[in-house]
Amino acid sequence: KRRHRAGTVIFSADQANELSRQAVVEDAMITADLENELYLVYQPISRATDLKCIGYETLARWNSPRIGPVSPAEFIPVAEHNGRITLMTRLLLERALSVASKWPKDVYLSFNLSAHDLSSPDNCLKIVAIVLKSGFDPARINFEVTETAILHDFDQASNSIQMLRELGAGIALDDFGTGFSSLNHVHKLPLTKIKIDGSFVRDIHQRKTSFKIVKSVLALSADMGLDAIAEGVETLEELQVLQTLGVGSVQGYYISKPVSADETIAAFAPPRAN
Ligand code: C2E
Ligand code: CA
Ligand code: CA
Ligand code: CA
């Protein structure tokens, strides 16, 4: 956005397209029946050594009858803007907990929180209440928070994270390495995991800088007693380097794309006798 001499705001064509797309999404959401149009897919998180599935990250999907499928990167910010994020978080968390209650006890649930979820004690208490009502063991829940969400209001986000830790849940710093002051956050917040962003995993077998960054992030996380999860693992070559470096868990298309709730439950069903 460039401010013109007369005070007129000049947008580039890309920015104008982005704005109109945002308006379309915003408009479609007003009349959306989120209970029916919103659903979750589940991406396996696996132990790096043998790829055993140890958890699932839930990823929101919105299939709008009016404008078709919309990516969460697009509709979450809109929902935060128009306030429907409160309904979304409740709906998605309740469903995720109900699905996760059908998994073996050693499989955890990793759930993404938005800035809004952390922005007030009230919002956070609602999340705590949903967990308690579900009867699901909070120790089997991991909440994923991004640096952007934390930076929105650091003190309040820090209180919320503390509250979720007192409940017994784990906290992962998502997209680690893409923000401005990640080290600072690791130091100040009661985190339990860090998720190494896919941008550092991409072609790690060929990119020396990525290799060095991931290596030092792993040393740091080990030092601080944090689990490290590498996300966006797309090839065997990337996986092998990560295994050599000693990363704890891995996630990405090479291991599995996100799957449906039914598929997560079927994955643990005993094989049927013929
Ligand atoms: P994220 O939390 O960093 O999630 C990882 C994204 O990478 C997901 O995109 C996932 O589908 C994608 N992904 C997984 N494996 C691979 C891979 O091997 N290669 C590549 N290139 N991508 C991979 P998705 O589902 O479109 O979600 C985008 C973002 O939207 C998420 O990023 C998260 O920040 C946000 N989001 C998704 N679901 C929710 C939700 O329920 N609540 C909130 N607050 N945010 C959500
Ligand atoms: Ca995430
Ligand atoms: Ca991430
Ligand atoms: Ca991301």
Side-chain angles (χ1 to χ4, degrees):
K1 215 166 27 183
R2 199 153 44 85
R3 196 160 277 279
H4 215 53
R5 235 169 291 143
T8 338
V9 178
I10 310 286
F11 294 97
S12 70
D14 273 2
Q15 284 170 325
N17 285 340
E18 206 177 292
L19 277 177
S20 62
R21 170 65 184 170
Q22 214 173 310
V24 166
V25 171
E26 185 118 40
D27 190 57
M29 203 180 285
I30 295 171
T31 53
D33 173 9
L34 293 176
E35 293 262 353
N36 285 309
E37 296 168 21
L38 213 60
Y39 63 99
L40 287 171
V41 290
Y42 299 74
Q43 188 174 36
I45 300 170
S46 303
R47 187 161 64 195
T49 47
D50 58 359
L51 300 190
K52 180 190 184 293
C53 174
I54 54 170
Y56 284 98
E57 176 183 5
T58 59
L59 296 160
R61 295 289 176 264
W62 177 28
N63 203 354
S64 160
R66 278 181 53 199
I67 59 169
V70 187
S71 114
E74 224 166 26
F75 72 75
I76 299 282
V78 170
E80 293 210 73
H81 185 243
N82 66 17
R84 297 199 85 186
I85 191 75
T86 313
L87 169 72
M88 280 192 188
T89 300
R90 178 175 61 74
L91 213 134
L92 295 174
L93 184 56
E94 280 172 357
R95 274 192 217 161
L97 289 165
S98 143
V99 170
S101 71
K102 301 187 177 80
W103 301 339
K105 298 259 179 294
D106 59 353
V107 176
Y108 72 88
L109 169 71
S110 209
F111 189 86
N112 289 291
L113 292 182
S114 70
H116 179 272
D117 298 316
L118 302 174
S119 68
S120 80
D122 231 45
N123 297 347
C124 192
L125 276 169
K126 278 187 192 129
I127 290 166
V128 170
I130 292 166
V131 171
L132 292 177
K133 193 174 159 219
S134 76
F136 190 81
D137 179 5
R140 287 176 59 199
I141 306 174
N142 176 58
F143 289 106
E144 300 193 7
V145 302
T146 62
E147 215 173 27
T148 334
I150 294 166
L151 284 181
H152 191 72
D153 177 348
F154 187 85
D155 291 339
Q156 186 44 55
S158 170
N159 288 340
S160 297
I161 288 170
Q162 189 63 47
M163 203 188 288
L164 296 170
R165 290 284 288 126
E166 275 159 25
L167 173 70
I171 306 287
L173 185 58
D174 205 352
D175 301 344
F176 186 81
T178 60
F180 290 106
S181 47
S182 302
L183 292 175
N184 213 15
H185 295 148
V186 173
H187 184 66
K188 284 190 194 152
L189 298 169
L191 302 169
T192 56
K193 298 178 199 290
I194 54 175
K195 295 193 79 171
I196 302 171
D197 193 68
S199 57
F200 300 108
V201 169
R202 168 82 29 87
D203 296 330
I204 189 171
H205 55 295
Q206 289 166 345
R207 291 165 61 177
K208 285 214 175 66
T209 313
S210 298
F211 182 90
K212 284 181 191 163
I213 291 171
V214 172
K215 194 175 168 187
S216 45
V217 167
L218 289 175
L220 172 81
S221 54
D223 210 37
M224 303 189 77
L226 301 171
D227 293 334
I229 302 158
E231 53 179 12
V233 182
E234 292 184 353
T235 67
L236 177 62
E237 288 81 3
E238 291 164 357
L239 173 67
Q240 286 171 335
V241 172
L242 292 163
Q243 285 171 327
T244 309
L245 285 174
V247 71
S249 344
V250 288
Q251 187 182 359
Y253 296 159
Y254 178 74
I255 296 108
S256 170
K257 295 223 163 171
V259 298
S260 70
D262 285 347
E263 284 172 275
T264 66
I265 297 163
F268 303 115
R272 266 190 293 170
N274 301 305

